[in-house]
Amino acid sequence: MADGVRVGSGRWARRLVLWPPLLLGVPLLVALAPVLFVAAAVIDLLTGPRRLRAVRTTGMALNYAVAEWFGLVAGGVLWVLTLGGLLMRREWSQRLHHRVQRRWTRAVMAALARWLRASWHVEGAEHLGPGPVIVCARHASIFDAVVPAVVLGDHPEIRARHVLKAELMWDPCLDLFGHRLPNHFVDRLPTERDRELAAVAALADDLGTDAVVIFPEGTFPTPARMGRAMRRVAEREPERARRLTLRHLLPVRPGGVNALIEAAPSADLVFIGHRGFEPFGSLRSIIANVPFGRPVDIMVWRVAAAEIPDDPDGRLALIDRWWQHMDDWIDDTEQREVAP
């Protein structure tokens, strides 16, 4: 099993700053929940009672905090069961950690549905059968990290490993379980690029029937980021720029995907696109746009390993072709939404 643990010099300092306030503060927040909801309701009465934005965001925040609290407590219990971490890499320990991680994700998804009226419409979920698979997912908001979990929900036998941006280590549960399970927190501006790519590739070791999930755009798209990214591609890779006419997606950063494909040549590629999370890219935009106005559309495509070229240039051309296909699908979905 690949070991995604990455020893960061500030890991324990970060945990000392975040974990005690969370463990001590969440019970207090739960006790104060009636007061918080009354205050939120007053804000809504004064600003916009029809959408209940303050009440909904308060409920979502409380649910998320409670899920984090239970995740840390479960992590403490598992630490004891594994004899202070000595048995952490045993199969039964990994299985229990994956089970807690799935329940944490489901709790977040349930909170999105309960408080923000989020719902999903998935097409192509049948393409996510047994692995090995490398999942390339769109990244457009704070919430869309749950999309692979939505798609994998009908396949509990598939364990997902993740390539995550290093900033997510500030989420206590993602930090804890992300380091105990085979994941990698990647520095998006690494000083040692080869070392980062080697750590990503290691996630594909002994993949078996499991999946590796990567968000190959690297960050949320914005008009400014899209403009900079396409100018960079045009300057450095003019042939690639000619085949890409992206309107919604950032071009794929191919390093991580290529590293995974080379490490797991028998793995199929799965692409996951979605439409509906775009208004939720920041705390301010979440407050401004809740609740969800319509179901989130999710589409899944699968490319067999036999169809993936061996050479890096041909491989990138195939990835770009499917990424452009995803962008076109998003555009078509958007057009259908606004059509009379």
Side-chain angles (χ1 to χ4, degrees), residues 36-334:
L36 296 175
F37 276 115
V38 168
V42 170
I43 294 172
D44 282 328
L45 285 173
L46 295 175
T47 59
R50 187 173 64 86
R51 298 179 69 179
L52 297 176
R53 293 175 180 173
V55 168
R56 292 182 185 281
T57 52
T58 298
M60 180 68 209
L62 282 172
N63 263 207
Y64 192 85
V66 170
E68 290 284 304
W69 189 89
F70 276 106
L72 287 188
V73 171
V77 172
L78 290 172
W79 185 81
V80 173
L81 290 176
T82 58
L83 303 180
L86 291 176
L87 306 179
M88 193 66 70
R89 297 300 170 185
R90 298 292 178 88
E91 170 60 24
W92 61 266
S93 169
Q94 293 287 294
R95 185 170 61 251
L96 288 175
H97 279 81
H98 273 287
R99 188 174 300 171
V100 173
Q101 185 182 61
R102 281 197 300 270
R103 292 191 177 183
W104 179 87
T105 304
R106 288 172 184 168
V108 173
M109 292 163 56
L112 285 171
R114 180 182 304 112
W115 294 107
L116 306 189
R117 290 186 183 174
S119 60
W120 345 95
H121 173 67
V122 183
E123 293 186 49
E126 67 277 5
H127 298 315
L128 222 4
V133 290
I134 298 166
V135 178
C136 300
R138 183 193 186 193
H139 195 24
S141 83
I142 291 174
F143 295 136
D144 63 14
V146 303
V147 170
V150 170
V151 177
L152 287 167
D154 293 331
H155 302 278
E157 73 282 0
I158 300 177
R159 298 182 187 178
R161 310 170 185 183
H162 298 84
V163 180
L164 303 166
K165 58 185 180 181
E167 292 88 337
L168 289 175
M169 286 189 288
W170 287 95
D171 180 292
C173 276
L174 289 178
D175 180 16
L176 179 62
F177 286 88
H179 283 98
R180 289 186 181 181
L181 293 169
N183 303 289
H184 180 64
F185 292 93
V186 65
D187 184 347
R188 290 178 294 171
L189 296 172
T191 55
E192 298 183 41
R193 185 173 183 272
D194 291 343
R195 181 180 177 182
E196 290 289 324
L197 291 177
V200 170
L203 293 181
D205 290 347
D206 192 25
L207 194 55
T209 59
D210 290 339
V212 181
V213 178
I214 187 170
F215 297 89
E217 292 165 287
T219 187
F220 305 159
T222 65
R225 286 172 180 165
M226 291 180 69
R228 287 195 299 270
M230 292 309 299
R231 285 194 297 272
R232 192 181 306 117
V233 171
E235 292 169 2
R236 300 176 182 177
E237 304 169 280
E239 181 179 346
R240 188 184 182 202
R242 284 192 290 270
R243 65 179 179 244
L244 291 174
T245 56
L246 301 174
R247 292 148 291 185
H248 307 278
L249 305 174
L250 291 171
V252 167
R253 296 183 179 186
V257 182
N258 264 323
L260 291 171
I261 293 173
E262 290 173 2
S266 63
D268 293 350
L269 270 178
V270 168
F271 294 91
I272 300 180
H274 55 80
R275 167 79 174 89
F277 279 113
E278 295 84 352
F280 303 97
S282 67
L283 181 59
R284 177 180 296 180
S285 63
I286 291 170
I287 295 172
N289 290 288
V290 297
F292 282 72
R294 59 185 302 279
V296 174
D297 293 302
I298 301 173
M299 179 64 81
V300 183
W301 302 272
R302 184 164 181 158
V303 181
E307 300 176 29
I308 303 172
D310 293 329
D311 64 292
D313 290 340
R315 194 182 302 146
L316 180 57
L318 178 139
I319 293 169
D320 281 343
R321 184 165 69 248
W322 280 100
W323 210 246
Q324 183 65 58
H325 182 66
M326 185 190 299
D327 191 272
D328 294 339
W329 172 82
I330 294 168
D331 200 64
D332 291 343
T333 304
E334 190 175 75

